[in-house]
Amino acid sequence: MTKEIESLLPPLYSQDDNPNAKAVVKYFTPDADWTWYASEYDSDAKQFFGLVDGFERELGYFNLEELEQLRGPLGLPVERDLYFKPTLLSELA
């Protein structure tokens, strides 16, 4: 997580009921089928809100420290998509 990306993410709960909420950053497992799209962030708690695409695709909370600890089936860590462009959550869902 860079300071630049952190500054682009709105605080938690600020996008409630906003049909134009955007995912600002994308994390993924290169060796599994999990993706996290963050649209809000609390830097103190290191907590995101956004779209989680794993067993199901749903909105929810996820934690930066937990993402940093995760490993896929081949032992590869979660990565940030360096080429991801902010996208409406409604388009991703």
Side-chain angles (χ1 to χ4, degrees), residues 8-49:
L8 294 174
L9 282 161
L12 283 183
Y13 314 113
S14 66
Q15 300 294 304
D16 288 356
D17 301 320
N18 179 358
N20 296 317
K22 289 184 179 180
V24 176
V25 63
K26 173 186 172 184
Y27 294 97
F28 66 98
T29 52
D31 58 347
D33 291 328
W34 281 79
T35 305
W36 298 264
Y37 298 94
S39 63
E40 299 175 1
Y41 184 64
D42 179 331
S43 60
D44 293 332
K46 298 190 186 283
Q47 191 79 10
F48 293 104
F49 179 81

Side-chain angles (χ1 to χ4, degrees), residues 1-2 5 25-28 78-84:
M1 166 77 90
T2 66
I5 291 172
V25 63
K26 173 186 172 184
Y27 294 97
F28 66 98
V78 172
E79 297 182 19
R80 179 171 56 89
D81 184 340
L82 301 177
Y83 303 101
F84 180 75

